[in-house]
Amino acid sequence: MVSPVFKDLANAIRFLSIDSVQKANSGHPGLPMGMADVATVLFKYYLRFNPKNPDWINRDRFILSAGHGSMLLYSLLYLTGYKSISIEDIQNFRQLNSICAGHPEYEKNSGIETTTGPLGQGLSNAVGMAIAEEIMKKRFGSSLINHKTYVIASDGDFMEGISHEAMSLAGHLKLKNLIVFFDNNKISIDGSTSLAISDNYKKRFESYGWSFQEVNGHNEKQISKAIKKSLNSKKPNLISCKTIIGYGSPNKSGKASSHGAPLGEEEIKLVRKKLKWEYKPFEIPNEIMKEWRKIGERGNHEEKKWNKIYIKKNNKIKRELDRTVSGKLPDNFNKIINVQKNKFFNLKPVVASRQSSADVLEEITKNLPELIGGSADLSGSNNTKTKNSKILKPSNLGGNYIHYGVREHGMAGIMNGMSLHGGVIPYGGTFLIFSDYCKPSLRLSALMGLKVIYIFSHDSIGLGEDGPTHQPIEHLVHLRAIPNLNVFRPADTIETLECWEIALKSSTNPSVIALSRQKIPFITQTLNQKNMCSLGGYEIKKTNSNPEITLIASGSEVQIAIDASKKLQNYNINSKVVSMPCQELFEKQTKDYREKIIEKDSKKISIEASSIFGWEKYVGAEGSSLGLKSFGKSAPAKKLYEDFNLTSDSVIKIAKKMLGK
Ligand SMILES: Cc1ncc(C[n+]2csc(CCOP(=O)(O)OP(=O)(O)O)c2C)c(N)n1
């Protein structure tokens, strides 16, 4: 073979993709065939990456937001020499435990930067990565942090609402290091995109404050020129690449039929003929392979150059960069928590838990520069902003607080991107009711195992007069049903501090901290150096060693349990009160511990101002759950608690009935 030309490199991606989809008998060949040229230009000339050290902190990020085209990404990683993906993995596309899963699944140090598939998510992740890059550049200097974030996004990505939220914020913040390639092939699953959309993309993106260019997505020079221009832009960049889905397929190119099904043996033969590819499935000729590996090698030199700059930095910068990138908390973190715990125990504040969270954050934000807060336009309600918060804005992208605007979904997707970038820990707030608006991204935080902290205030009917549209009912249940997510509902300031401590120390899962709008009493009985919330549930008090009733409650309802326990003594009923701030952590305790805490042989009552769904696992068939079975109502909180029988008197009535007294 004569030395390979550009099209040979791109065709290597095309054939790895169509052959693996064919072998798996499922997958999406259309996108890799259509975008192979754009990806080849990007990787060949521009992308700074090192297959030998995929997680190098100053690498350019490459996000395949249109995750259904996963074979494009796997082909690129294999061809450029990432250890994470071998030819066997490619041949095992979509098979059990293969890294080449149906849609890209984030894995540390693999080159797969994020999990995509749900359209629009990757775009929002990329915005988060571009924000994190700017923050770290301000902290550590532009000689250490100066990378780009590139994205491939499809029609579907831009139809999704989250793309509006994330791109609008990116335009507002002038994230100039963000470069998005739009696979503008005008085809989606149902057929032509004209069935469903007639947006003027140029006007749309320009109105967000983005720069817009359009190129022929199969023309190497045009693509390259557009990228070059983007490198010096003062705005985020969208390059609309006019492409043909299924490029090279005589009968299926330009048609929805190439989107999401194998092309078929006969058609693949025709593609081989048309693109003059004489090689067997999964065979990449040496010359082409060598050329791709050379492209991969380039990043190794880039990283070596970067290392020389890093070495010359002073120890303090190096230590801080290493610490934050590795996700380690400062050495004095435990001390900060303990000092706060003592202080709160002495003060015994009677405040809303959202205020407790503010008090906790006041101290933590002083000491954790990597903590990047924000809220979806509810800063004053979520109490996420502290005296140490500096607003991140176009003129100062080094801030530590983001006004996300009323963009909950965007906020969650962006926080995922920030966490994936590394070096920062995102937390963001909204009302618990609007966790619904965060949900698709929140689920991905959990699926990817990211340290993202969701602050959801106004966590029950206790928010009062705003009424049923704002009162969460089923939300805790929804959230508790998500695997690998800790859902905390602290009962006072000490518990709030402990929940924050756990969330900040959890490096393989996100956390939700649900907080009350209304004031709640201080319930911690003894000062414990141990983090009691880390047990998930623990004893608050019991009136003798053999309680007949165990009252299990969370958050603002723990006080109802304590009151009821006191009153039950008047009826000669001994009881125990358990605070259950985190069911997920309780489930992780030993059987002995769990049975001891919920007093296996006692009758059990749960109290939580939320759907009672799920509490039966603790109260058992003979137990009872106080909660809500309907939507809330608009009224002052106290009236609502009475109206929904969430009172100590109701508890007593039920307890007496249970015991036949
Ligand atoms: C949130 C979400 N909704 C629906 C889908 C299912 N789906 C996968 S690809 C796609 C649209 C395909 O059109 P386009 O984005 O233009 O991709 P192309 O056909 O050009 O590859 C849809 C609806 C999805 N992956 N994510």
Side-chain angles (χ1 to χ4, degrees), residues 345 348 492 494-495 521-528 532 538-542 558-559 561-563 565-566 577 579:
F345 190 76
K348 302 194 176 5
D492 70 2
I494 296 280
E495 281 199 6
F522 186 82
I523 55 101
T524 301
Q525 316 275 310
T526 49
L527 180 62
N528 218 316
M532 298 307 284
Y538 66 98
E539 175 185 320
I540 293 280
K541 61 171 279 201
K542 63 180 164 188
V558 175
Q559 181 56 34
I562 293 172
D563 277 355
S565 171
K566 264 188 225 148
V577 176
S579 176

Side-chain angles (χ1 to χ4, degrees), residues 31 68 117-119 154-157 160 183 185 187-189 245 259:
L31 185 145
H68 57 278
L119 289 163
S154 64
D155 292 293
D157 281 300
E160 289 293 348
D183 179 19
N185 60 23
I187 290 289
S188 67
I189 293 179
I245 190 169
H259 161 87

Side-chain angles (χ1 to χ4, degrees), residues 42 52 67 278 329 333 371 395 412 418 491-492 520 554 631 641 655:
L42 176 65
K52 291 207 170 70
E278 302 149 353
L329 295 169
F333 182 74
L371 198 56
S395 56
M418 290 166 68
D492 70 2
I520 50 178
S554 83
F631 293 114
Y641 271 73

Side-chain angles (χ1 to χ4, degrees), residues 368-438:
L368 251 74
E370 67 267 40
L371 198 56
I372 309 297
S375 166
D377 202 40
L378 289 168
S379 296
S381 301
N382 308 143
N383 289 355
T384 37
K385 199 153 121 189
T386 75
K387 286 195 201 86
N388 313 304
S389 298
K390 293 193 180 56
I391 310 307
L392 187 133
K393 49 188 172 196
S395 56
N396 177 19
L397 291 168
N400 66 351
Y401 194 84
I402 301 174
H403 286 288
Y404 286 99
V406 193
R407 301 183 181 102
E408 295 85 2
H409 195 180
M411 172 175 77
I414 288 169
M415 289 201 292
N416 283 346
M418 290 166 68
S419 178
L420 285 161
H421 181 281
V424 295
I425 305 171
Y427 71 92
T430 183
F431 291 153
L432 179 58
I433 191 91
F434 303 131
S435 61
D436 284 342
Y437 279 52
C438 301

Side-chain angles (χ1 to χ4, degrees), residues 412-628:
I414 288 169
M415 289 201 292
N416 283 346
M418 290 166 68
S419 178
L420 285 161
H421 181 281
V424 295
I425 305 171
Y427 71 92
T430 183
F431 291 153
L432 179 58
I433 191 91
F434 303 131
S435 61
D436 284 342
Y437 279 52
C438 301
K439 178 81 185 308
S441 305
L442 196 160
R443 181 175 190 273
L444 287 170
S445 317
L447 181 58
M448 290 190 265
L450 303 180
K451 188 188 283 192
V452 174
I453 303 170
Y454 293 89
I455 300 301
F456 292 148
S457 71
H458 296 56
D459 71 347
S460 76
I461 51 163
L463 66 86
E465 295 84 344
D466 270 343
T469 56
H470 282 52
Q471 291 161 350
I473 301 293
E474 71 281 21
H475 299 75
L476 290 171
V477 174
H478 281 172
L479 294 167
R480 285 175 183 148
I482 298 178
N484 199 38
L485 171 69
N486 282 341
V487 182
F488 296 101
R489 192 161 181 262
D492 70 2
T493 307
I494 296 280
E495 281 199 6
T496 308
L497 172 71
E498 290 187 344
C499 294
W500 260 107
E501 180 187 11
I502 301 165
L504 285 164
K505 287 182 173 172
S506 300
S507 44
T508 55
N509 63 269
S511 305
V512 160
I513 308 182
L515 300 166
S516 75
R517 173 189 183 239
Q518 74 277 26
K519 267 191 193 167
I520 50 178
F522 186 82
I523 55 101
T524 301
Q525 316 275 310
T526 49
L527 180 62
N528 218 316
Q529 287 315 313
K530 185 178 166 61
N531 184 319
M532 298 307 284
C533 292
S534 69
L535 297 165
Y538 66 98
E539 175 185 320
I540 293 280
K541 61 171 279 201
K542 63 180 164 188
T543 53
N544 85 353
S545 55
N546 259 329
E548 295 162 273
I549 292 277
T550 304
L551 305 171
I552 315 164
S554 83
S556 40
E557 287 70 69
V558 175
Q559 181 56 34
I560 297 176
I562 293 172
D563 277 355
S565 171
K566 264 188 225 148
K567 289 182 186 165
L568 281 170
Q569 282 184 294
N570 299 336
Y571 301 92
N572 286 329
I573 298 173
N574 282 304
S575 63
K576 173 176 182 176
V577 176
V578 171
S579 176
M580 181 80 80
C582 181
Q583 294 189 2
E584 294 77 15
L585 292 178
F586 188 66
E587 298 296 317
K588 286 190 177 149
Q589 307 309 312
T590 61
K591 188 161 174 266
D592 279 358
Y593 178 79
R594 283 181 281 133
E595 288 185 352
K596 191 179 103 199
I597 289 300
I598 61 169
E599 300 285 345
K600 197 164 74 140
D601 299 324
S602 70
K603 297 263 189 293
K604 294 162 217 49
I605 302 174
S606 71
I607 315 155
E608 188 175 64
S610 166
S611 162
I612 61 168
F613 190 94
W615 278 103
E616 61 277 4
K617 70 183 164 200
Y618 300 126
V619 301
E622 288 171 21
S624 185
S625 287
L626 271 74
L628 282 104

Side-chain angles (χ1 to χ4, degrees), residues 228-261:
K228 204 168 187 179
K229 194 169 163 204
S230 296
L231 298 180
N232 298 314
S233 163
K234 301 253 179 295
K235 304 169 175 180
N237 302 277
L238 189 117
I239 304 176
S240 162
C241 306
K242 288 169 135 177
T243 57
I244 298 168
I245 190 169
Y247 178 96
S249 166
N251 296 303
K252 298 195 174 177
S253 64
K255 296 184 186 151
S257 55
S258 70
H259 161 87

